[in-house]
Amino acid sequence: MPRTTSLLINGTAATMASGHYGLIADAAIACEDGRIAWIGPRMDCPKAYASFPTHDLGGRLVTPALIDCHTHLVHGSNRANEFEMRLKGATYEEVARAGGGIVSTVTATRKASVDDLVAAALPRVDAAIAEGVSVLEIKSGYGLDIETELNMLRAARRIPKKRHVKVVTSFLGAHAIPAEYKGKADAYIDDVCIPALRAAHAEKLVDAVDGFCEGIAFSTAQIARVFDVAKELGLPVKLHAEQLSNLHGAELAARYGAISAEHLEYVDEAGVAALAKAGTVATILPGAFYTLREKQAPPIDLFRKHGVAMAVSTDMNPGSSPLSSLLLAMNMACTLFRMTPEEALAGATVHAARALRLTDHGTLAAGKVANFAVWNASHPAELAYRIGFNPLHERIIGTVA
């Protein structure tokens, strides 16, 4: 194949090296065969790259393309009706008795074909792409039977064939207990979750294994059984932990060397210290906090104190976080949780890449994938500053020549 080259010039580059802006004024970025070959001040650009076809950024800001590292993007139907019910005063139990909650999403997802799931997901994918996203993590977890869990992952694998975006999949069979297994969580783990995981792995549908450790879902002992199988299969793990209470899921995740732990509103300092020791990324999800009108925010200062990297994501799902804007998630992380704009952008780039084990994504550096977001902005703080405004000028994937 012929070599593809390009040279991006006349822009301010936010490299996001080590989680900081790492700004380079009047930058040049040489790209070769889909990778960054060199980056630095344009005046220092080596002569070897001077003949590359140039792409003028017009003085704009360029960052790594964004990464949405926690989504439930593939699912059937929506839950707008119960959103309206809750606003009219219905309780959680009343919504559930009316067929709402996760049960309604499971019912709709089980009825949908793989083609249906892909078609429903694509508008949500397009919304992410329009904000400069190049990587999406997509979970299963709304099937809660073997075939539908597999169909969700099959649908996720098809998305890159329809859109120019990378998809990383997470098996989330331990998401909730379906109605037919009410009061029989251990049986569900044995009969459905673990067999579905093995089948999904055999079909090469799984990049990581997730779980929901919470009083309304699964205990640490039950999640550990799923993680033992993941370890046997050579799959990394991550965990929804400490969202509504502290069951010490963060410490469980750390013991298994989890690549990330999600939500974490109720994690204590011992849990944060365990995450730090394990090198586990804390994924901050302000969309669910906002939608559920929660009161307890994740302990951002503790994460800073112990040096825990913080990713930021939408948690895009039909119930607790119907949020499709990663830019808005970044703003929420700043406004609701007092993260800095620099931390929020690092959370959607370098730390989001770490949360997915994508070592060649998330920063602008030689050898990294040449995926860029070019913004109508002069400083990266602008990305988390505005509300409901998209400053993306263009998304560049690979090379532009």
Side-chain angles (χ1 to χ4, degrees), residues 13 52 94 102 123 177 244 248 281:
F52 283 12
E94 288 168 340
I102 192 172
I177 303 164
L244 305 173
H248 305 288
V281 175

Side-chain angles (χ1 to χ4, degrees), residues 106 110 140-146 149 171-196 217-218 222 225-226:
V106 170
R110 287 178 177 180
S140 69
Y142 288 124
L144 308 183
D145 63 29
I146 294 172
E149 288 293 303
F171 173 81
L172 183 56
H175 187 201
I177 303 164
E180 61 269 28
Y181 278 89
K182 184 177 180 180
K184 299 184 292 183
D186 285 303
Y188 169 77
I189 295 290
D190 290 332
D191 298 347
V192 177
C193 185
I194 289 175
F218 297 94
Q222 289 159 345
R225 292 170 56 206
V226 179

Side-chain angles (χ1 to χ4, degrees), residues 13-287:
T15 66
M16 302 315 299
S18 301
H20 300 292
Y21 287 144
L23 293 175
I24 302 174
D26 193 20
I29 308 174
C31 306
E32 191 168 9
D33 296 331
R35 299 270 171 176
I36 298 173
W38 183 87
I39 180 171
R42 180 164 37 158
M43 63 181 296
D44 297 334
C45 185
K47 292 181 179 180
Y49 306 121
S51 62
F52 283 12
T54 59
H55 183 76
D56 194 320
L57 300 177
R60 297 178 178 88
L61 174 72
V62 59
T63 71
L66 303 186
I67 298 169
D68 200 347
C69 65
H70 179 127
T71 85
H72 305 254
L73 188 149
V74 169
H75 56 79
S77 192
N78 66 72
R79 280 148 63 182
N81 62 324
E82 65 185 72
F83 172 70
E84 188 169 35
M85 288 174 64
R86 287 199 306 271
L87 291 175
K88 290 180 178 179
T91 66
Y92 181 86
E93 288 184 359
E94 288 168 340
V95 169
R97 284 199 299 270
I102 192 172
V103 172
S104 67
T105 301
V106 170
T107 299
T109 304
R110 287 178 177 180
K111 291 178 179 177
S113 68
V114 174
D115 288 341
D116 292 337
L117 293 171
V118 172
L122 287 178
R124 297 186 280 272
V125 174
D126 290 339
I129 288 173
E131 290 194 348
V133 171
S134 67
V135 180
L136 286 163
E137 186 261 12
I138 300 177
K139 305 179 190 295
S140 69
Y142 288 124
L144 308 183
D145 63 29
I146 294 172
E147 190 60 20
T148 313
E149 288 293 303
L150 295 177
N151 280 346
M152 291 184 71
L153 295 168
R154 290 166 183 148
R157 286 287 199 233
R158 285 193 193 177
I159 287 171
K161 299 175 183 178
K162 302 283 187 178
R163 297 293 187 271
H164 206 171
V165 67
K166 181 178 179 65
V167 168
V168 177
T169 59
S170 295
F171 173 81
L172 183 56
H175 187 201
I177 303 164
E180 61 269 28
Y181 278 89
K182 184 177 180 180
K184 299 184 292 183
D186 285 303
Y188 169 77
I189 295 290
D190 290 332
D191 298 347
V192 177
C193 185
I194 289 175
L197 171 55
R198 292 190 183 280
H201 177 260
E203 204 172 316
K204 295 181 169 40
L205 296 174
V206 188
D207 297 315
V209 175
D210 201 346
F212 187 20
C213 184
E214 191 54 73
I216 62 172
F218 297 94
S219 69
T220 54
Q222 289 159 345
I223 293 293
R225 292 170 56 206
V226 179
F227 281 4
D228 284 340
V229 176
K231 184 176 180 181
E232 172 196 329
L233 297 174
L235 293 168
V237 300
K238 50 178 53 196
L239 186 63
H240 291 59
E242 273 72 274
Q243 180 183 6
L244 305 173
S245 62
N246 186 0
L247 298 187
H248 305 288
E251 293 171 63
L252 171 73
R255 286 202 301 274
Y256 280 86
I259 53 178
S260 66
E262 331 288 296
H263 291 289
L264 298 169
E265 281 87 338
Y266 285 83
V267 70
D268 58 20
E269 187 159 10
V272 174
L275 295 177
K277 185 176 181 180
T280 301
V281 175
T283 301
I284 307 302
L285 302 170

Side-chain angles (χ1 to χ4, degrees), residues 283-333:
T283 301
I284 307 302
L285 302 170
F289 178 91
Y290 168 85
T291 301
L292 298 176
R293 302 176 70 183
E294 293 291 344
K295 302 299 183 185
Q296 180 151 327
I300 302 300
D301 284 338
L302 281 181
F303 296 140
R304 290 171 178 150
K305 173 184 174 181
H306 289 273
V308 175
M310 293 180 287
V312 174
S313 186
T314 62
D315 191 16
M316 189 191 309
N317 74 67
S320 64
S321 185
L323 172 64
S324 59
S325 172
L326 186 52
L327 290 174
L328 182 53
M330 290 163 57
N331 173 272
M332 286 178 169

Side-chain angles (χ1 to χ4, degrees), residues 330-356:
M330 290 163 57
N331 173 272
M332 286 178 169
C334 296
T335 304
L336 299 177
F337 299 155
R338 294 297 186 262
M339 291 178 69
T340 67
E342 185 175 57
E343 288 172 332
L345 182 55
T349 54
V350 57
H351 298 322
R354 280 187 56 189
L356 300 179

Side-chain angles (χ1 to χ4, degrees), residues 131 327 376 383 386-391:
E131 290 194 348
L327 290 174
N376 292 311
L383 303 184
R386 294 193 184 275
I387 302 171
F389 177 75
N390 181 5

